[in-house]
Amino acid sequence: MTRAARLLAAALIALGVLLIPASPAFAHAALIGSTPAPGSVIGSSPSEIVVTFSEGITAVAGRVQVLDPDGKRISGTPTVSGATLRIPVRRAAQPLGTYLVSYRVISADSHPVGGAITFSVGAPSAEPPKAGEAGIHRSVTLATPVTRFLGYAGLTLTAGPALFLALLWPRRRSRVAATRTAYAGLGLVAVATLASLWVQAPASSGAALWDVSGTELGQVLTSSYGIILSCRLILLGVVGVLLRPVLRGTAPRWRGLAAVAVALGTLVTWPLTGHAAASPLSAAIVAADVVHMAAMAVWLGGLLTLTVFLLRRTHPRVLGVLLPVWSRWAALAVVWLVAGGIVQAVVQVGTIRALWETDYGRLLIAKVVILAATLAAAWYARRLVNRRQVPAAGAGPLRRAVGIEVAATVVILGLSAVLVQVNPGRSASVDQGAVREQGVSQTLTCPLYTLQFNIFPAQLGDNNTIHAFVYTPAGAPLPADEWTVTSQLLGKNLEPVTEPLLPLNPRHHAAGAITFPYPGDYEIKFTVRIGELNQATVKTTVSVPAGSPSR
């Protein structure tokens, strides 16, 4: 085994180690909110539940349901309009308690999203209904980045040899091995595409990689994801036909241009099934992604072609002519590679903080660091070429520099395969920040009544709303004649603040707002009068964190 082959094998093994433990987050359409709100307490059971995501979604048949407090399914057929999921529900036999909304949808970038939210009518249930497993099976989690990597590897194995065979191949060197590599790359892309179609079925259903039915495959093939990948397979076949004379070096100019045009059309199918399709400025991001992938395929594919086929057995004088041309091509590819990557990063990361606060940002930093090391090796190789040090003593250092470039770029491809499965920074920040079940919900009891209350969002400021409900100790609705709520910051010499709760219906009252001027622990007291003589007070403590005031 040659030094270059050993180096490439080591890089592939390292890449395998990188991919095996990866458990990327598949939730690309982040949950923004719902009506009723997650964790909220309302006065009566709704007739419809509305769930809103950060991007367009498609509901997975049979995987969207609402369970009542007894665990019975009460949902009808869901409908989707853009990023909004609407679920009709019938009235539960026992409406009081906690409801569970379980959903599984496909986001606009083709990734499955599963989750559940809860809300309560009256007091929460002692034992809320439980959702089924909504995650991605481990086998699918591992298979998805592998199929992506194989697709990228196929692109590089095709682009590099095809470029050299068409424009820069030495006359006296055999074309057979390089031609076979180019076609093997096309075949690898086709296999990776078929594997992606298969993997999408269990990714949607939540089943294991091998647990796929014909119906599920049919649903994938008729989805936008399946149609785009089917178009990719057709375009690959067209590219294979057009490439035959190109790889022999006998193709007319129009045929070569046609092959390039169809190849670019094939590249478009990658961003159309990924983050770019669901991004802001999607047309620009799709174009940047195509440029980024094409530049990477040309650069890495050309390096592989040089390392495996040309550097060792080509006459130094031929290399002296060939390498300066390739060096200029590689420099141009790197410029387009970086430009396309910058455009994508600016949009997908979203904020500077997301670079170190999200998995997407941290992976992107790792990719940039390795790319910087690769460019240093590329600069050294270009320096050798410009100094005409290719013959004799320069050939060894050049081969080592190119080998380092190859190994590093293989790892970059692996990081890219993982990166496309992780939430972009722009939506990861939404996923981590905007959909938390904020607020405080508690049940307080006394001999006279049971009181359920919710304070939202329980933050600094004057925009904190209280909703409260009163029931008999047995759980039946209990009309109240007068309510008041008192708040007092503990540990400070401040007087308590008392406000009336304004009635909305006989047993549901709400205060417009309650103010928390300082962070700390507040004692909250509810005083409820039942009839003319019966009155009781219940109290609890609510913690208000430091932070930006709510407005």
Side-chain angles (χ1 to χ4, degrees):
M1 182 181 292
T2 66
R3 180 188 298 271
R6 290 195 299 269
L7 187 59
L8 181 57
L12 290 173
I13 293 172
L15 178 62
V17 174
L18 171 70
L19 291 178
I20 286 174
S23 298
F26 281 77
H28 291 260
L31 175 66
I32 291 179
S34 67
T35 305
S40 64
V41 179
I42 59 177
S44 60
S45 57
S47 59
E48 182 184 61
I49 295 169
V50 180
V51 186
T52 306
F53 296 89
S54 59
E55 62 184 50
I57 52 99
T58 301
V60 177
R63 299 304 298 273
V64 177
Q65 58 182 334
V66 180
L67 304 183
D68 69 8
D70 293 331
K72 297 178 181 178
R73 181 168 181 164
I74 58 171
S75 52
T77 302
T79 59
V80 174
S81 176
T84 302
L85 173 67
R86 297 182 178 274
I87 313 168
V89 294
R90 65 181 184 274
R91 184 175 175 81
Q94 298 293 334
L96 296 181
T98 301
Y99 291 68
L100 183 139
V101 183
S102 176
Y103 59 85
R104 192 170 193 83
V105 298
I106 305 299
S107 59
D109 61 6
S110 79
H111 295 97
V113 178
I117 59 177
T118 61
F119 65 91
S120 299
V121 174
S125 303
E127 294 184 7
K130 294 181 174 57
E133 177 60 42
I136 303 293
H137 193 273
R138 180 66 173 172
S139 59
V140 177
T141 300
L142 294 174
T144 302
V146 170
T147 60
R148 288 277 183 172
F149 173 74
L150 293 178
Y152 295 152
L155 288 177
T156 59
L157 291 177
T158 301
L163 181 66
F164 271 87
L165 288 168
L167 301 174
L168 211 57
W169 197 260
R171 295 180 182 179
R172 297 183 180 181
R173 293 298 306 270
S174 172
R175 294 172 174 263
V176 175
T179 299
R180 289 176 177 172
T181 300
Y183 277 111
L186 281 179
L188 189 58
V189 175
V191 169
T193 302
L194 292 172
S196 295
L197 285 169
W198 177 276
V199 170
Q200 184 70 3
S204 301
S205 66
L209 185 64
W210 49 88
D211 186 9
V212 176
S213 68
T215 301
E216 291 169 343
L217 280 177
Q219 291 173 346
V220 170
L221 290 172
T222 55
S223 67
S224 59
Y225 180 85
I227 292 171
I228 292 172
L229 262 61
S230 298
C231 290
R232 182 190 298 174
L233 291 172
I234 295 172
L235 291 173
L236 286 173
V238 176
V239 171
V241 173
L242 292 174
L243 272 184
R244 188 175 299 276
V246 174
L247 299 181
R248 291 200 299 262
T250 59
R253 184 181 182 85
W254 70 266
R255 194 175 185 114
L257 293 176
V260 171
V262 177
L264 288 175
T266 306
L267 285 178
V268 172
T269 62
W270 266 270
L272 289 181
T273 57
H275 295 315
S279 301
L281 305 172
S282 57
I285 300 304
V286 167
D289 203 0
V290 170
V291 169
H292 190 70
M293 292 176 61
M296 175 58 78
V298 167
W299 184 30
L300 178 54
L303 291 173
L304 282 169
T305 304
L306 283 173
T307 302
V308 176
F309 299 114
L310 297 176
L311 283 182
R312 284 190 173 275
R313 297 183 179 86
T314 303
H315 195 280
R317 280 183 295 182
V318 176
L319 288 177
V321 175
L322 180 153
L323 289 176
V325 177
W326 160 250
S327 182
R328 290 192 293 272
W329 290 358
L332 186 61
V334 168
V335 170
W336 285 106
L337 172 74
V338 173
I342 290 174
V343 171
Q344 293 181 76
V346 168
V347 174
Q348 302 291 22
V349 173
T351 64
I352 297 297
R353 291 171 60 92
L355 282 172
W356 59 84
E357 290 183 351
T358 66
D359 291 338
Y360 188 92
R362 288 187 286 268
L363 281 171
L364 185 62
I365 290 174
K367 183 178 176 180
V368 170
V369 169
I370 297 176
L371 177 61
T374 309
L375 292 179
W379 172 83
Y380 177 68
R382 181 176 174 82
R383 184 181 178 189
L384 292 178
V385 171
N386 290 339
R387 290 185 176 183
R388 303 293 181 181
Q389 294 183 12
V390 173
L398 180 64
R399 283 196 297 270
R400 287 192 291 272
V402 172
I404 292 172
E405 285 186 71
V406 170
T409 47
V410 168
V411 176
I412 290 175
L413 282 186
L415 286 172
S416 299
V418 176
L419 196 64
V420 297
Q421 304 305 318
V422 178
N423 257 2
R426 59 179 171 82
S427 59
S429 58
V430 171
D431 196 28
Q432 293 170 3
V435 198
R436 294 176 298 187
E437 293 187 2
Q438 294 176 309
V440 176
S441 295
Q442 291 184 19
T443 299
L444 307 176
T445 60
C446 68
L448 182 60
Y449 57 79
T450 295
L451 184 141
Q452 168 69 48
F453 78 92
N454 172 261
I455 301 178
F456 183 88
Q459 294 179 351
L460 289 179
D462 58 3
N463 193 23
N464 294 283
T465 302
I466 295 181
H467 290 266
F469 309 82
V470 66
Y471 303 90
T472 67
L478 180 62
D481 294 287
E482 184 180 1
W483 304 54
T484 59
V485 60
T486 300
S487 61
Q488 182 178 20
L489 180 61
L490 301 177
K492 301 284 186 179
N493 189 23
L494 298 176
E495 294 298 316
V497 178
T498 301
E499 296 184 24
L501 289 174
L502 304 178
L504 297 181
N505 62 48
R507 63 178 180 83
H508 176 194
H509 296 239
I514 184 171
T515 301
F516 295 123
Y518 305 104
D521 293 331
Y522 284 80
E523 183 180 70
I524 307 296
K525 295 181 180 180
F526 293 90
T527 301
V528 181
R529 180 170 61 83
I530 309 296
E532 292 295 330
L533 301 176
N534 295 321
Q535 178 175 300
T537 299
V538 291
K539 63 182 180 179
T540 186
T541 301
V542 171
S543 295
V544 177
S548 300
S550 59
R551 294 292 179 191

